[in-house]
Amino acid sequence: RKKRQAKQLKLQLQAEERESESSQREIDSEEKSLADRVEAFRKRQEKQQEQQFQGQEQELEVAKQELEDNEKALSDRIQKQIKNHESEEQQQAKRHKELTKQEEQSQQRTKAHLAQLENQAKQRRQDLELLKQEEEQQQKALKEQEDLAESKLEQIAEMEEKEKNLKTQKKLLADKEEK
C-alpha cells in the first residue's frame, strides 16, 4: 500500500512539474511579447519626436530666411534713397525715419517668431539630445547674421551722415562764392 501511495505521489509531483514548466513557458512568452510591444512603441515615439523636431528646424530656416530678406530689402531701399539724395533734406530724413521704423517693426515680429520657435525647440531637446549641437550651431550662425546686418545698417547711417555734411559744406561754399 505504501508503495502505491509513493507511486501516486511521484506521478502527482511529475504532473505538477509539467504544469509548472508549461506555465513558465507561457509567462516567458508573454514577457517577450510585452517587451516587443514596448520596444515598438518606443521606436514609434522616437520617430514621431524626430519628425516634430525636423518640422521645427524647417520653420526656423524659413524665419531665418525671412530675416535675411528683410535686411536685404532694407539695405536695397536705403541704397536707392542715397542715389536719389537730390530731393529736399527734410523729405529725405522723414522717409529714412519711416523706413527704419518699418524695418524695426519687421525685425521685432521676426525675432518674436524666432523666440517662439526656440522655446518649442528647447522642449524637443529633452527627447532629442543628439540633435542639440546642430541646432546650437544654427542659432549661432543666425546671431552672427543679425550682428552683421546691424553693422551694415550702422555703416549705411554713417555714409548718409557724411553725405549730408558734405552737402551742407558745398552749400556753404556756394553761398560764400555768391557773396
Side-chain angles (χ1 to χ4, degrees):
R1 214 175 96 185
K2 282 185 179 180
K3 280 184 181 179
R4 252 202 327 252
Q5 280 181 341
K7 192 176 180 183
Q8 274 185 330
L9 198 62
K10 189 176 179 184
L11 288 170
Q12 193 178 341
L13 279 171
Q14 285 174 348
E16 284 176 6
E17 278 176 13
R18 282 194 298 274
E19 193 179 326
S20 173
E21 284 171 9
S22 175
S23 295
Q24 187 60 45
R25 280 195 299 273
E26 280 180 30
I27 289 167
D28 290 347
S29 174
E30 282 177 18
E31 282 179 354
K32 187 182 185 303
S33 173
L34 183 63
D36 290 346
R37 288 203 302 269
V38 167
E39 178 63 16
F41 177 76
R42 188 184 64 75
K43 283 182 180 176
R44 280 199 307 274
Q45 288 288 96
E46 281 179 4
K47 189 176 178 184
Q48 189 179 9
Q49 286 169 348
E50 190 171 342
Q51 285 171 348
Q52 285 174 340
F53 182 81
Q54 284 170 355
Q56 292 295 321
E57 288 294 306
Q58 285 170 358
E59 281 186 50
L60 199 61
E61 278 300 316
V62 169
K64 178 178 154 186
Q65 189 60 50
E66 187 185 327
L67 183 63
E68 285 174 6
D69 292 347
N70 286 343
E71 285 165 353
K72 187 182 184 303
L74 176 69
S75 178
D76 292 347
R77 286 198 299 258
I78 291 172
Q79 287 296 333
K80 191 176 178 183
Q81 290 295 93
I82 290 169
K83 285 174 188 175
N84 299 331
H85 214 284
E86 290 158 9
S87 62
E88 291 179 23
E89 278 182 20
Q90 278 185 332
Q91 288 178 345
Q92 173 66 20
K94 188 180 174 185
R95 277 199 297 272
H96 177 64
K97 189 177 178 182
E98 284 170 357
L99 284 172
T100 304
K101 187 180 176 184
Q102 286 172 9
E103 179 57 22
E104 281 171 358
Q105 287 172 347
S106 176
Q107 280 189 352
Q108 281 172 358
R109 283 193 300 271
T110 306
K111 282 178 182 176
H113 186 52
L114 281 175
Q116 185 185 1
L117 290 176
E118 283 169 2
N119 286 337
Q120 290 170 348
K122 278 178 188 173
Q123 291 172 354
R124 301 289 185 275
R125 279 192 204 110
Q126 291 173 353
D127 301 320
L128 299 161
E129 288 183 23
L130 293 175
L131 296 168
K132 184 178 177 183
Q133 290 178 351
E134 183 185 336
E135 187 185 351
E136 284 174 354
Q137 287 168 358
Q138 288 177 353
Q139 292 294 332
K140 186 179 174 187
L142 184 58
K143 179 73 172 70
E144 285 172 3
Q145 286 172 350
E146 286 177 3
D147 292 344
L148 183 63
E150 283 175 22
S151 174
K152 283 180 184 175
L153 289 177
E154 285 172 12
Q155 287 173 7
I156 289 166
E158 283 173 16
M159 279 173 60
E160 284 193 336
E161 188 61 31
K162 284 178 185 176
E163 193 163 327
K164 186 177 169 183
N165 290 339
L166 189 63
K167 189 171 179 181
T168 305
Q169 286 173 3
K170 281 182 183 177
K171 192 172 184 297
L172 289 170
L173 193 64
D175 289 348
K176 281 182 183 178
E177 285 175 2
E178 280 178 23
K179 288 176 184 178

